[in-house]
Amino acid sequence: MDSDTILRLVREVPDHDGFPLVDDLHARFDALAAAHPDRVTVTRIGTSRLGEPLHSYRIGTGSHAAVIVGGVHPNEPIGSWTALHLAETMLGDDAEATALDVTWHIVPTIDPDGMRLNEAWFHDPYDRVFYSRHFYRPAPDSQVEWTFPNNHKSVYFDQVLPETLAFMRLIDDTEPELLVSLHNGEMGGVYYYLSEDLPDVIDVLHAVPRALGLPLDTGEPESPHLRELAPAVFAMDGVEEVHDYLEGLGVDPAEHIHGASSAAWALRHGALCMVAELPYWSHPDADDQTPTDESYADLLRRCADDLGGSGAELQRVLDAASPMLTIETPFLQGSRAFIPMLTATPETDRARAEREPADRMATVAERFGCEDLVRCFRLRYGGMLLRALEAETTAGTASAPLRRLRDDLAERYALWQAGAVTDAAPIPVGTLVGVQYGAILACASHVADPARASRPAMVATQRSGGA
């Protein structure tokens, strides 16, 4: 499939109002299977922690296997529509399906339990304040994406979740040539992770958002250790590189690294792995390379102080509330994991700042990225802690001191909400799906290219942890 065809297809992706709820998403896939019994094979691959069946939908009979998994982080539902659109397209146009010569194994959501805890904002994903107030993200050791086995130097992890085991089983059974776990971010522009340095694929990854009017995110990368293959395209490095980077900063890697990723497991089978990270809201500063009058080192220190201060405020509330909490909700479990991270992360940023040249000025994009990360984490994890306290007030188990703590936190949270960026532009859901869909087609076209067998792979990373 050539790039012109891919760009035409992404422009044809329909728009949507919000995101499908879990039951609706499953019903839509089941309806596809019922309508095409000779072309869709449904396989149960496991069971969620709360007892929900996990299914993979096999579509096509191509000679190249691709695994596409949604809901790896349950607060990232753009992939729900992407998975459904991919399934519908491959079932609806024989010419396109035949051109790719791919057998698709699609999991609509691998963490339905976690996704249900975000459903309150799915009908209106454009309001960041409302989104954050009803936000849920599992603690790191409860995230499907980051609970694959890992054994590297000081880090050992084998607390594999049932959902992760199902994911592992699917990868091992299909031995895919392509793995795409469907992620998204929040604010800024589009960026990607790719396990191989593939100029032909990267050209399309750049062309797709440009064709849809979205900027690339060329500001502060998601993690400081990332290697850039091209603007807004990063090598999908594993925990080995993260470990060595943190060790070089004098930071204990065991405090920051736990399980490995789905890509680490799929690379054992030689898969090309790709992630397209998409924002709900765009902002012109995300792609502005104009230098500011603040050094990059000072920017890191300033934002580290802001983030650490916010983390300390939340930690004081959590510490005061903990003896009075009687309901062990996922919101409380997440708060106990993430709030200490807010106070620990600044240590790494301050160590980074010491290594930056004093005369290296931060760009507008870097400033926006660093500052918005502080806003994002305040809103996310302040909202989750509020949900944990409200579980008690709603159930009628909250003591008077706990109710006062809840009110105090709500007042502080309202100030953080007032500080949210107000000039960000919400992006149509169909446009976001188009970027993700186009990225999948670009990678699928690459793995299905007959000429690929005669070309050596340009490997961006090799992961050994996770055996």
Side-chain angles (χ1 to χ4, degrees):
M1 186 179 289
D2 59 41
S3 60
D4 288 341
T5 301
I6 293 173
L7 295 180
R8 173 180 61 81
L9 291 173
V10 302
R11 292 188 183 102
E12 294 174 356
V13 173
D15 200 11
H16 299 279
D17 291 326
F19 300 106
L21 304 184
V22 172
D23 288 343
D24 180 38
L25 178 63
H26 289 167
R28 288 170 183 263
F29 267 89
D30 289 341
L32 281 179
H36 303 277
D38 56 332
R39 300 178 63 190
V40 181
T41 301
V42 185
T43 302
R44 182 166 177 172
I45 59 173
T47 308
S48 77
R49 280 160 284 177
L50 294 181
E52 182 137 2
L54 303 173
H55 293 112
S56 171
Y57 295 79
R58 189 184 72 202
I59 297 172
T61 57
S63 56
H64 305 275
V67 170
I68 313 295
V69 179
V72 284
H73 284 137
N75 59 291
E76 300 175 2
I78 293 171
S80 296
W81 285 129
T82 305
L84 185 63
H85 183 74
L86 175 66
E88 291 173 339
T89 303
M90 293 302 112
L91 288 169
D93 192 321
D94 289 338
E96 291 168 4
T98 302
L100 286 172
D101 190 24
V102 169
T103 298
W104 303 94
H105 303 268
I106 303 174
V107 180
T109 175
I110 195 69
D111 186 3
D113 304 337
M115 187 167 277
R116 292 183 192 282
L117 298 180
N118 283 285
E119 288 184 336
W121 58 267
F122 279 11
H123 72 286
D124 183 13
Y126 301 116
D127 184 339
R128 192 182 194 184
V129 170
F130 184 80
Y131 155 85
S132 301
R133 186 64 179 82
H134 300 277
F135 173 92
Y136 168 70
R137 187 177 178 93
D141 61 1
S142 295
Q143 293 178 12
V144 178
E145 182 64 278
W146 290 109
T147 48
F148 284 74
N150 179 31
N151 183 13
H152 180 71
K153 293 185 179 179
S154 63
V155 179
Y156 183 85
F157 183 89
D158 62 0
Q159 299 173 35
V160 176
L161 304 173
E163 297 88 343
T164 311
L165 182 61
F167 200 166
M168 292 167 60
R169 186 182 296 119
L170 178 62
I171 291 171
D172 289 342
D173 287 348
T174 60
E175 298 185 348
E177 293 181 54
L178 173 64
L179 170 71
V180 179
S181 57
L182 297 169
H183 288 263
N184 63 258
E186 285 189 13
M187 175 77 75
V190 176
Y191 63 100
Y192 305 92
Y193 294 102
L194 200 60
S195 63
E196 298 179 33
D197 189 355
L198 303 171
D200 60 322
V201 174
I202 291 172
D203 285 345
V204 182
L205 296 184
H206 282 163
V208 167
R210 184 168 60 244
L212 295 174
L214 293 184
L216 295 175
D217 195 323
T218 57
E220 185 74 359
E222 187 175 13
S223 299
H225 73 278
L226 291 173
R227 294 185 297 115
E228 191 175 68
L229 304 178
V233 182
F234 299 97
M236 195 176 280
D237 286 338
V239 295
E240 297 86 351
E241 288 78 10
V242 182
H243 190 288
D244 293 346
Y245 173 80
L246 292 173
E247 208 169 39
L249 289 178
V251 176
D252 182 4
E255 295 181 2
H256 298 269
I257 302 173
H258 303 286
S261 70
S262 59
W265 198 259
L267 282 167
R268 295 152 43 100
H269 299 288
L272 170 64
C273 302
M274 187 275 294
V275 167
E277 294 277 8
L278 315 167
Y280 299 120
W281 309 278
S282 67
H283 196 281
D285 287 358
D287 194 30
D288 188 341
Q289 297 303 304
T290 306
T292 67
D293 58 1
E294 181 179 27
S295 74
Y296 182 65
D298 285 345
L299 172 67
L300 289 177
R301 294 187 187 98
R302 175 168 62 83
C303 290
D305 290 344
D306 289 345
L307 183 61
S310 299
E313 288 185 71
L314 292 173
Q315 188 68 58
R316 283 192 291 271
V317 174
L318 179 58
D319 289 344
S322 288
M324 297 178 279
L325 296 173
T326 63
I327 305 174
E328 190 70 18
T329 63
F331 313 117
L332 179 57
Q333 295 166 3
S335 296
R336 286 174 173 158
F338 286 116
I339 290 174
M341 288 173 58
L342 300 189
T343 59
T345 298
E347 173 191 3
T348 303
D349 291 337
R350 293 187 186 103
R352 284 203 294 139
E354 294 303 316
R355 301 186 174 207
E356 292 292 335
D359 59 350
R360 206 277 255 186
M361 296 295 107
T363 65
V364 171
E366 288 171 334
R367 182 180 63 190
F368 178 80
C370 286
E371 291 178 347
D372 198 65
L373 187 68
V374 177
R375 289 189 288 265
C376 168
F377 284 174
R378 281 173 176 169
L379 291 171
R380 278 185 173 193
Y381 304 124
M384 277 180 55
L385 182 55
L386 269 172
R387 294 185 78 179
L389 301 187
E390 286 172 346
E392 302 277 350
T393 58
T394 301
T397 57
S399 64
L402 184 59
R403 290 197 303 274
R404 285 194 291 272
L405 276 175
R406 184 268 168 211
D407 293 343
D408 290 344
L409 178 57
E411 183 177 346
R412 182 58 174 158
Y413 190 73
L415 295 176
W416 290 341
Q417 289 177 313
V421 173
T422 57
D423 57 346
I427 303 171
V429 172
T431 301
L432 299 173
V433 174
V435 174
Q436 213 165 47
Y437 178 57
I440 292 172
L441 295 181
C443 292
S445 298
H446 175 83
V447 302
D449 182 357
R452 184 173 66 101
S454 63
R455 297 196 301 263
M458 301 173 67
V459 179
T461 182
Q462 180 178 5
R463 301 180 185 215
S464 58

